[in-house]
Amino acid sequence: MSSNLTLRASVLSFVIFALFIAAWHIATRQTASVAAMDPEYAKLMGLTATTGKSAMPGPFDVAAKIWEHLKNPFYDRGPNDKGLGIQLAFSIGRVMLGYCIAVCVAIPTGFVIGMSPLMSKALNPFIQVMKPISPLAWMPLALYTIKDSSISAIFVIFICSLWPMMINTAFGVAAVRKEWLNVARTLEVRPLRKAFTVILPAAAPTILTGMRISIGIAWLVIVAAEMLVGGTGIGYFVWNEWNNLSIVNVIISILVIGLVGMLLDQALARVARLVTYPD
Amino acid sequence: MTLYNNQDRFISIEGIARRYPKAGGGETTIFDDLWFSMNRGEFSCIIGHSGCGKTTVLNILAGLELPDEGVAVVDGKAIEGPSLDRAVIFQSHALLPWRTVLGNVSFAISSKWPEWSADQVREQAMRFIDKVGLKGSELKKPAELSGGMKQRVGIARALSIEPKILLMDEPFSALDALTRGTLQDEVRRICLETGQTAFMITHDVDEAIYLADRIVLMTNGPGAMVAEVVENPLPRNRGRIDLHKQPDYYALRNHLIDFLVSRSKSFKDEIPADYSKRHPPIVRPTAALAPKADLSAA
């Protein structure tokens, strides 16, 4: 029954994909024959005017370009011409660094907030104000104080990943069932052992949810941050290709950003499944 | 029983009170000036209606709550907090769902004896898992177990730390009658075998009759009192099957039911002249002295 469902869903997905590609192809195909005009003039006007072909690339243009990128993802021909793989590696590297620092800060802080009603009340106003700030709003301040655009981007990732993880950790820790804490109390479990053997496993699913939200936001923000700081990364690549008017590459970047974001989320979803316990 | 024989009074509850702030200000007194004691190796039950503070008494014995007044003494030492000497079997079994059966029991054992090696801990855990009849299920997670099996794990966990007292908060109330019967048999067998001192809250009169040597009767709260302590007149080697064939069974049962139905409510208004909170009367209902109330109730 469920395998049947999976099969039908896959078929439907494929049909939707095929329809989308077909519609895309039809919308961007060449519609008129070559108009008679002076060849010099035609060159200036571009294909849009001369043949009615849309400036928007068709699916086969994109596919051909993807193949080209796949064949050689890691070439490096100077600052403005690097392979897609290199650009992605830069972005993922920044996200991972900023995100890992955020994990190291957010989870212990969230633990303290969750354990202590005093800290929770005292820190709550700060968190509430900091949380809704667009991470990019920190950029000028980061550039001014850090004076390094690459580190500033990492800082922006750090600051945007921090809050969901911190809030979820605090919530998860505060919501640990009283009966489990009572078990630990009657067994005279020392505080540190209690934190690692009772509270952490009990709160782990909630913490992982926060981590998933954070990695999603971090991946959204890195693209924008790299457009601002420039130099390397998939966000810079998108903007650079826009300046080059290479819509094909822009479309490919969008696709790749989506795929990597999905993979990051799936990786954490897998970890979340490991720590989830049935009740 | 002499009053100053401390040898007997293994657990002694001395004038404890517990008060909670009321919603509109002021305080609600759950109970105050509560006295009773238990002997070593004895199985005591406490019965009373919901809200009379039974669970509070148990929590105080467990050290999870502290009395606002008075003191609870165990083995000559006042209770100041939770202790590994007093194990609790929770009503909701309170197993850690991310740990296996073995992991849950081992967690308790390694808390009691942190210096033990992993093999020692495992051996002790397996001994008690076997004792409650869960051998073969030790690697299952609690979610894969039935309600009765979960409570068996709770029992194994509590017994595995070899506590001086076993505290049970309605441990079988969430189970079906058949499972409840089997677990009662096992708890009774284990407690008799090891001379375990045990204290149990229950709503079930038959459970109290089968398991308890002494039954503490608490009146309705707020302001609950120990109306009396009932000594079980049934022979110690009683079985669950022929319990109702014991000559004193109905006298005892009627006495308890009569208390729960009417006297738990009315006791406060008709306190006997010689009643003392400090020395609640000890009663031993037998067929020979069946009070008139029982006959008229029947």
Side-chain angles (χ1 to χ4, degrees):
Chain A
M1 179 67 197
S2 83
S3 72
N4 188 18
L5 184 69
T6 316
L7 182 70
R8 285 185 305 170
S10 315
V11 170
L12 189 57
S13 291
F14 183 78
V15 169
I16 291 171
F17 181 71
L19 283 177
F20 170 73
I21 295 293
W24 182 9
H25 178 69
I26 290 164
T28 55
R29 84 204 139 113
Q30 185 170 319
T31 48
S33 54
V34 182
M37 60 173 85
D38 179 37
E40 285 290 311
Y41 183 65
K43 227 177 200 170
L44 282 173
M45 289 303 286
L47 293 174
T48 317
T50 53
T51 65
K53 178 166 172 44
S54 169
M56 191 72 181
F60 300 108
D61 305 328
V62 173
K65 193 76 184 168
I66 289 176
W67 180 238
E68 211 174 292
H69 280 297
L70 280 178
K71 272 195 300 192
N72 192 6
F74 296 111
Y75 69 88
D76 185 354
R77 290 185 215 114
N80 275 341
D81 194 7
K82 290 187 191 352
L84 200 55
I86 291 187
Q87 305 286 27
L88 269 178
F90 271 109
S91 296
I92 293 173
R94 283 189 191 120
V95 165
M96 283 304 151
L97 197 56
Y99 182 78
C100 288
I101 300 171
V103 169
C104 296
V105 174
I107 291 179
T109 317
F111 233 87
V112 172
I113 296 172
M115 299 279 272
S116 153
L118 173 73
M119 291 299 275
S120 167
K121 262 200 145 56
L123 290 179
N124 190 42
F126 298 105
I127 295 174
Q128 294 306 330
V129 171
M130 304 287 258
K131 190 178 62 163
I133 298 173
S134 163
L136 294 172
W138 292 98
M139 191 56 104
L141 201 60
L143 286 170
Y144 177 73
T145 45
I146 301 171
K147 297 188 177 64
D148 180 297
S149 62
S150 192
I151 300 178
S152 297
I154 293 167
F155 170 79
V156 167
I157 296 303
F158 163 77
I159 204 89
C160 76
S161 316
L162 199 60
W163 313 114
M165 279 195 271
M166 193 185 286
I167 291 166
N168 264 52
T169 306
F171 177 76
V173 167
V176 173
R177 285 221 214 129
K178 190 108 196 284
E179 56 186 47
W180 297 336
L181 295 176
N182 278 344
V183 167
R185 282 180 69 198
T186 54
L187 294 174
E188 294 188 78
V189 178
R190 276 166 284 105
L192 205 62
R193 182 160 181 258
K194 181 169 80 178
F196 281 106
T197 57
V198 179
I199 297 172
L200 191 61
T206 323
I207 296 174
L208 254 298
T209 307
M211 289 175 71
R212 268 179 88 177
I213 297 171
S214 279
I215 198 85
I217 296 177
W219 189 245
L220 289 181
V221 166
I222 192 66
V223 174
E226 283 169 347
M227 284 180 181
L228 280 175
V229 298
T232 47
I234 191 75
Y236 170 72
F237 181 77
V238 175
W239 204 248
N240 202 29
E241 293 305 317
W242 163 237
N243 286 336
N244 292 342
L245 269 180
S246 169
I247 305 297
V248 182
N249 272 335
V250 170
I251 291 173
I252 291 171
S253 313
I254 291 172
L255 198 64
V256 165
I257 291 168
L259 283 173
V260 173
M262 184 190 76
L263 289 178
L264 290 174
D265 187 62
Q266 289 302 308
L268 276 174
R270 198 155 280 216
V271 180
R273 266 202 296 281
L274 285 180
V275 300
T276 302
Y277 47 85
D279 220 357
Chain B
M1 171 182 149
T2 52
L3 279 172
Y4 300 104
N5 186 348
N6 283 323
Q7 200 60 42
D8 275 6
R9 295 198 308 179
F10 185 52
I11 304 167
S12 174
I13 288 188
E14 305 183 350
I16 59 170
R18 193 79 178 91
R19 301 188 175 88
Y20 292 105
K22 231 187 282 191
E27 279 185 325
T28 308
T29 301
I30 306 296
F31 50 73
D32 68 344
D33 204 18
L34 201 72
W35 295 73
F36 65 89
S37 60
M38 286 168 253
N39 301 333
R40 195 187 291 268
E42 219 176 39
F43 199 119
S44 308
C45 274
I46 187 162
I47 62 176
H49 287 284
S50 304
C52 76
K54 303 184 299 281
T55 299
T56 310
V57 172
L58 185 124
N59 282 345
I60 288 172
L61 281 172
L64 293 171
E65 278 184 55
L66 289 175
D68 294 307
E69 279 166 37
V71 68
V73 181
V74 171
D75 207 9
K77 273 209 310 232
I79 294 174
E80 277 158 358
S83 157
L84 283 157
D85 286 341
R86 286 166 267 129
V88 185
I89 299 178
F90 297 89
Q91 181 178 11
S92 54
H93 57 76
L95 300 178
L96 305 178
W98 56 88
R99 283 174 175 259
T100 59
V101 169
L102 184 64
N104 269 284
V105 180
S106 301
F107 182 62
I109 295 168
S110 55
S111 302
K112 171 107 183 193
W113 296 286
E115 69 283 0
W116 278 17
S117 72
D119 284 343
Q120 267 177 305
V121 170
R122 196 192 151 84
E123 193 189 319
Q124 171 92 344
M126 286 310 296
R127 198 151 65 80
F128 282 89
I129 289 169
D130 192 20
K131 201 171 235 179
V132 297
L134 279 182
K135 202 167 197 170
S137 302
E138 65 268 15
L139 295 181
K140 286 188 180 157
K141 294 270 175 76
E144 302 167 61
L145 304 177
S146 68
M149 288 164 94
K150 281 183 206 164
Q151 200 51 283
R152 280 166 198 265
V153 182
I155 294 167
R157 179 173 65 184
L159 291 171
S160 69
I161 58 171
E162 296 172 8
K164 287 183 182 168
I165 312 168
L166 192 58
L167 300 167
M168 294 173 267
D169 185 358
E170 298 186 41
F172 310 133
S173 62
L175 305 177
D176 65 276
L178 214 60
T179 315
R180 184 159 58 221
T182 333
L183 280 184
Q184 284 167 355
D185 288 344
E186 275 171 36
V187 164
R188 181 164 166 79
R189 178 179 56 79
I190 293 168
C191 285
L192 284 177
E193 269 174 18
T194 57
Q196 180 72 54
T197 311
F199 178 76
M200 176 165 161
I201 295 177
T202 181
H203 273 119
D204 184 341
V205 167
D206 284 312
E207 184 168 87
I209 294 172
Y210 177 48
L211 293 176
D213 301 312
R214 284 141 67 81
I215 303 159
V216 177
L217 306 183
M218 260 178 105
T219 65
N220 291 357
M225 297 183 280
V226 174
E228 57 194 40
V229 177
V230 175
E231 276 186 1
N232 194 335
L234 268 53
R236 208 166 159 86
N237 62 357
R238 56 190 175 263
R240 202 159 51 84
I241 308 299
D242 56 356
L243 200 63
H244 60 286
K245 291 182 186 150
Q246 298 289 345
D248 297 328
Y249 172 78
Y250 282 105
L252 176 61
R253 191 168 197 279
N254 288 344
H255 187 82
L256 297 178
I257 297 273
D258 178 47
F259 175 81
L260 283 180
V261 171
S262 57
R263 285 176 59 220
S264 60
K265 245 189 321 268
S266 63
F267 186 82
K268 231 171 292 181
D269 307 320
E270 43 197 52
I271 296 175
D274 58 347
Y275 176 79
S276 147
K277 277 192 163 180
R278 191 159 179 162
H279 306 297
I282 293 172
V283 183
R284 191 183 170 88
T286 53
L289 334 147
K292 278 173 270 144
D294 289 353
L295 296 172
S296 60

